[in-house]
Amino acid sequence: MQIALLGGTGDIGEGLALRFAYDTDHDVLIGSRDASRAETKAREYETELDSRGLTVDVAGHDNADAAAAADVVVLAVPAYHLADTVEAIAADIDADTVLVTPAVGMKRDEDGFHYNRPGAGSVTALAAEAAPEDVPVVGAYHNLSAARLANLDADLGIDTAIVGDDADAVDTVTRLSEEIEGLRAVDAGPLANAAEIEAITPLLINVAKNNDGMHDLGVRFE
Amino acid sequence: MQIALLGGTGDIGEGLALRFAYDTDHDVLIGSRDASRAETKAREYETELDSRGLTVDVAGHDNADAAAAADVVVLAVPAYHLADTVEAIAADIDADTVLVTPAVGMKRDEDGFHYNRPGAGSVTALAAEAAPEDVPVVGAYHNLSAARLANLDADLGIDTAIVGDDADAVDTVTRLSEEIEGLRAVDAGPLANAAEIEAITPLLINVAKNNDGMHDLGVRFE
């Protein structure tokens, strides 16, 4: 498969790109609003992978070209860029493309981080509203630490809860996710169940902040 | 210490009562609106503990008497009874009592369970609003499976995220929680951070419903 990471020059995009390239046989395409920036980052990721004995090509494109070439398109962009990003690639994706949204909206105050639930019900639902009607949308990777993903020496041993209304698309993302070593995909049901998953992300930051020795946390359903 | 479980005849109350009685040296008091029902349940818990070679007294009282005798009062009641329950015991608790609230508000539709966030910000915040001003309130045990707690053969190996604005009260509940075998207490910061913890409970139900072999789930921050 061709996996595009839109916003693949950012933290979570970098982490997912490295893990997909290192742990799976799929092709990884980095997307950015600026194609030359995507190219530069793709070379950096290749260098990091090469230092671990893995010679692979990582492509760099603008978001639309990356999406057009991909079977799975991960929207690794901040929540406030999600709708824009989907609209910018709408003409380049179709019913055979699976859109994956890991974005979470948070706000911060003196107590800690808090889930900032959008009017649509969740950020995942926002992505689904922005997507062309025939393109399946799957929520995944909301609770993964970008730093832990990007450090290929770090064991994962964590879960990602997956939501979606299209069973085939959920199956594709589930199988792809489980190719990442140490990542278990669990099915959390339809897209309407996304908010409770997204809300875990600020909690993980609060727990890391308040407990010595806990950082770059993920979650495990036991 | 004296640990009162108000609503200690219900599912989560039973689970916590059995674990506190089995794993700690503290005294366990079952509270109920109906003292005779609390007495009956206390005898059942003694029988269950006796079957495992542990002879202990479990007391049964009405909620107010149980609270009056206790150092730590766990409000093991449904979210919609929380404010009533706190008001019913307000005269029986003081600044030396720690109130613990594990309640979560949920609603269910055809997609699954959803967090029903109250206007106060969280159910934990509702409890704090209902409590006398000098009584410290701690949020804990929101994400524990009642059935798994009540089955003393079941390993826990899970976390409970704790929130509170009174450091001494948080410390008391943290230490008490960690006396339960296999339960790790993590500090999630002030009470204002409770909603994201409460939201995990419906997610655990959704995950259990959608994945074969996963049931009575808890969460672990890894």
Side-chain angles (χ1 to χ4, degrees):
Chain A
M1 287 198 299
Q2 307 284 318
I3 317 293
L5 285 311
L6 307 194
T9 61
D11 288 350
I12 186 71
E14 173 172 4
L16 288 170
L18 288 171
R19 293 279 172 170
F20 283 131
Y22 196 66
D23 286 341
T24 83
D25 292 327
H26 305 297
D27 293 325
V28 172
L29 300 87
I30 305 306
S32 172
R33 281 177 297 179
D34 175 353
S36 70
R37 190 162 152 67
E39 274 285 355
T40 303
K41 278 291 188 175
R43 294 296 83 72
E44 282 180 33
Y45 303 162
E46 284 177 349
T47 302
E48 168 67 12
L49 294 160
D50 189 63
S51 77
R52 292 162 187 276
L54 183 69
T55 306
V56 288
D57 289 327
V58 178
H61 296 293
D62 68 26
N63 281 334
D65 286 349
D71 303 291
V72 173
V73 174
V74 183
L75 300 160
V77 298
Y80 53 85
H81 276 317
L82 194 56
D84 286 355
T85 303
V86 174
E87 281 156 28
I89 62 163
D92 302 287
I93 55 179
D94 60 27
D96 293 327
T97 315
V98 177
L99 267 187
V100 180
T101 171
V104 170
M106 295 189 282
K107 55 192 172 189
R108 180 184 198 166
D109 63 19
E110 69 278 11
D111 295 311
F113 282 78
H114 307 282
Y115 178 46
N116 193 12
R117 188 179 187 183
S122 68
V123 179
T124 304
L126 272 184
E129 284 182 5
E133 207 171 328
D134 59 339
V135 176
V137 173
V138 171
Y141 315 139
H142 297 100
N143 307 317
L144 303 184
S145 156
R148 185 151 156 201
L149 288 176
N151 175 6
L152 293 171
D153 291 325
D155 289 332
L156 295 183
I158 51 177
D159 292 342
T160 186
I162 294 186
V163 286
D165 295 340
D166 181 304
D168 289 340
V170 167
D171 188 53
T172 296
V173 177
T174 298
R175 288 200 271 175
L176 175 64
S177 302
E178 297 219 316
E179 291 183 51
I180 294 180
E181 196 176 322
L183 187 63
R184 180 176 65 166
V186 304
D187 183 355
L191 277 180
N193 296 347
E196 289 78 6
I197 301 168
E198 295 176 8
I200 291 176
T201 304
L203 175 60
L204 294 177
I205 299 172
N206 294 337
V207 169
K209 180 183 156 199
N210 286 285
N211 297 271
D212 291 340
M214 299 183 80
H215 53 85
D216 298 332
L217 293 174
V219 76
R220 182 109 186 148
F221 303 103
E222 295 272 12
Chain B
M1 289 197 297
Q2 308 283 319
I3 318 293
L5 284 308
L6 309 194
T9 62
D11 288 349
I12 186 71
E14 172 173 3
L16 288 169
L18 289 171
R19 293 280 173 169
F20 283 131
Y22 195 67
D23 286 339
T24 85
D25 292 327
H26 306 296
D27 294 325
V28 172
L29 299 87
I30 305 306
S32 172
R33 281 176 297 179
D34 174 353
S36 71
R37 187 160 154 67
E39 275 285 356
T40 302
K41 277 291 188 176
R43 294 298 82 71
E44 283 180 31
Y45 302 161
E46 285 175 349
T47 302
E48 168 67 11
L49 294 160
D50 189 63
S51 77
R52 294 164 184 275
L54 183 70
T55 305
V56 288
D57 290 327
V58 179
H61 296 292
D62 68 27
N63 281 335
D65 287 349
D71 304 291
V72 173
V73 174
V74 183
L75 301 161
V77 298
Y80 53 85
H81 276 316
L82 194 57
D84 286 355
T85 303
V86 174
E87 281 156 26
I89 62 164
D92 302 286
I93 55 179
D94 60 28
D96 294 327
T97 315
V98 178
L99 267 187
V100 180
T101 172
V104 170
M106 294 188 283
K107 55 191 172 188
R108 180 186 199 166
D109 63 22
E110 70 278 10
D111 294 312
F113 282 78
H114 307 281
Y115 178 47
N116 193 11
R117 188 178 185 181
S122 68
V123 179
T124 305
L126 273 183
E129 284 182 6
E133 207 171 328
D134 60 339
V135 176
V137 173
V138 171
Y141 314 139
H142 296 102
N143 306 320
L144 303 183
S145 157
R148 186 151 156 200
L149 288 175
N151 174 7
L152 293 171
D153 291 325
D155 289 332
L156 295 184
I158 51 177
D159 292 342
T160 186
I162 294 185
V163 286
D165 295 342
D166 181 303
D168 289 341
V170 167
D171 188 54
T172 296
V173 177
T174 298
R175 287 201 272 175
L176 175 63
S177 302
E178 295 220 315
E179 291 183 51
I180 294 180
E181 196 177 322
L183 187 63
R184 180 176 66 164
V186 303
D187 183 353
L191 278 181
N193 296 347
E196 288 79 7
I197 301 168
E198 296 176 8
I200 291 176
T201 303
L203 175 61
L204 294 177
I205 299 172
N206 294 338
V207 170
K209 180 183 157 202
N210 287 286
N211 296 271
D212 291 340
M214 299 184 79
H215 52 85
D216 299 333
L217 294 174
V219 76
R220 181 108 186 148
F221 303 102
E222 295 273 12

